[in-house]
Amino acid sequence: LINNQLLKTFKIKGGLFKRLVLTFTVLSLITLSISSLLTYQVTKQKVSSDFENSTMQILNQNKNYIDVVDASIEDISMQILSTKDISNSFNVNTTKMDQFYKWQLIQKAQDSLNALTINSKFIKSMYILNDNGLSVSSGGNVSNVDITTAKYSAFKSSDDYKSIIKSDGKSQWTNVQFDTFNTSKDNKNISLMRRLTSSSNSVASPILKINVDPQIFSSSISNTKIGKNGYMFIVNQKGQVIAHKDPTLLGKIVDTT
């Protein structure tokens, strides 16, 4: 016969063992849950950090490219200010000017603009718009007649013209818009404009308009992917799209709030 005391001892030990197993199991589950939660949080933070760093890198790369374009166009506008063949046509009185001499001034200025346009990988065309009848263009799509008639009057009534007149010689970028002087199908531009004289009260100052194809900005972001389905587009302060992978959206106003 088994001693009753021995049976009691086994029962007590068995009960303690079960409790220990149960306690260990519960603690293991809690530990695993905490470990999994911590691993998830660490992984989430790392993924978020990697995503943020990657996105900022992409943004900075595109910002640098846009800065290069802006600096290049700005430099060319300053070159035009210092080009004698162009500056000679700025503020001359054409009322009694010999027609041949007037033609020479226009031709020299146009040749200079054409050379600058051809040598730039960013510029589509350029205009110098002048009340004295010596307006000129480059790019081959606009005749000098076009920029001295009703189209010029329409341009002078635009917000861009009114804004640049008040700028005291500082350059400004326009919105993406259709070119007033170009009737071809491909006539959407974003333009850098500046007055070619610094006198703030001279309303009749010549206006330089350097036209750039908006696709130059769009091309730098068209293949950029952010995450699985994300993409980039660029808007100006007014919420107008100036670069997008969908060219039909260029110039449209989007809600950026």
Side-chain angles (χ1 to χ4, degrees), residues 94 115 144 165 213:
T94 60
N144 292 326
I165 285 297
D213 189 339

Side-chain angles (χ1 to χ4, degrees), residues 147-207:
I147 58 178
T148 56
T149 55
K151 293 180 180 179
Y152 182 41
S153 297
F155 168 74
K156 288 185 68 176
S157 66
S158 68
D159 290 338
D160 287 328
Y161 179 84
K162 294 173 183 176
S163 176
I164 206 67
I165 285 297
K166 300 175 183 178
S167 67
D168 197 22
K170 295 179 181 178
S171 63
Q172 293 182 6
W173 283 95
T174 68
N175 296 330
V176 176
Q177 56 193 218
F178 289 103
D179 190 341
T180 306
F181 307 104
N182 189 344
T183 57
S184 66
K185 293 181 179 179
D186 183 24
N187 67 344
K188 251 187 183 180
N189 298 324
I190 181 170
S191 307
L192 182 135
M193 292 174 57
R194 78 179 325 138
R195 295 170 63 198
L196 294 180
T197 57
S198 59
S199 174
S200 60
N201 58 4
S202 178
V203 178
S205 298
I207 303 297

Side-chain angles (χ1 to χ4, degrees), residues 15-213:
L16 289 174
F17 179 74
K18 288 180 180 179
R19 290 177 186 176
L20 287 172
V21 170
L22 180 61
T23 302
F24 179 78
T25 302
V26 171
L27 288 174
S28 296
L29 289 174
I30 293 173
T31 303
L32 286 172
S33 298
I34 294 173
S35 177
S36 298
L37 182 61
L38 290 174
T39 302
Y40 170 76
Q41 289 295 334
V42 170
T43 303
K44 181 181 177 182
Q45 289 177 2
K46 186 177 186 309
V47 169
S48 297
S49 178
D50 290 346
F51 177 80
E52 183 179 350
N53 291 335
S54 175
T55 302
M56 289 305 301
Q57 184 178 5
I58 293 170
L59 287 173
N60 286 328
Q61 287 174 349
N62 284 279
K63 178 182 178 298
N64 292 338
Y65 176 76
I66 291 172
D67 286 343
V68 168
V69 176
D70 177 56
S72 175
I73 303 301
E74 186 72 30
D75 287 346
I76 289 173
S77 74
M78 298 305 296
Q79 285 183 49
I80 290 172
L81 279 171
S82 61
T83 302
K84 289 184 178 180
D85 286 339
I86 296 176
S87 61
N88 286 340
S89 67
F90 283 0
N91 293 310
V92 296
N93 188 343
T94 60
T95 305
K96 297 180 180 180
M97 182 183 292
D98 177 83
Q99 290 299 311
F100 179 71
Y101 180 64
K102 182 178 178 180
W103 176 84
Q104 283 184 314
L105 286 177
I106 292 174
Q107 194 61 47
K108 287 181 179 179
Q110 191 166 27
D111 289 345
S112 296
L113 291 185
N114 282 332
L116 290 169
T117 301
I118 291 170
N119 290 328
S120 171
K121 61 181 180 180
F122 302 125
I123 295 176
K124 187 176 177 181
S125 61
M126 289 191 282
Y127 308 139
I128 292 179
L129 307 165
N130 202 343
D131 281 354
N132 68 0
L134 293 179
S135 297
V136 294
S137 69
S138 76
N141 292 322
V142 180
S143 69
N144 292 326
V145 175
D146 288 334
I147 58 178
T148 56
T149 55
K151 293 180 180 179
Y152 182 41
S153 297
F155 168 74
K156 288 185 68 176
S157 66
S158 68
D159 290 338
D160 287 328
Y161 179 84
K162 294 173 183 176
S163 176
I164 206 67
I165 285 297
K166 300 175 183 178
S167 67
D168 197 22
K170 295 179 181 178
S171 63
Q172 293 182 6
W173 283 95
T174 68
N175 296 330
V176 176
Q177 56 193 218
F178 289 103
D179 190 341
T180 306
F181 307 104
N182 189 344
T183 57
S184 66
K185 293 181 179 179
D186 183 24
N187 67 344
K188 251 187 183 180
N189 298 324
I190 181 170
S191 307
L192 182 135
M193 292 174 57
R194 78 179 325 138
R195 295 170 63 198
L196 294 180
T197 57
S198 59
S199 174
S200 60
N201 58 4
S202 178
V203 178
S205 298
I207 303 297
L208 171 65
K209 191 169 186 283
I210 303 178
N211 303 312
V212 176
D213 189 339

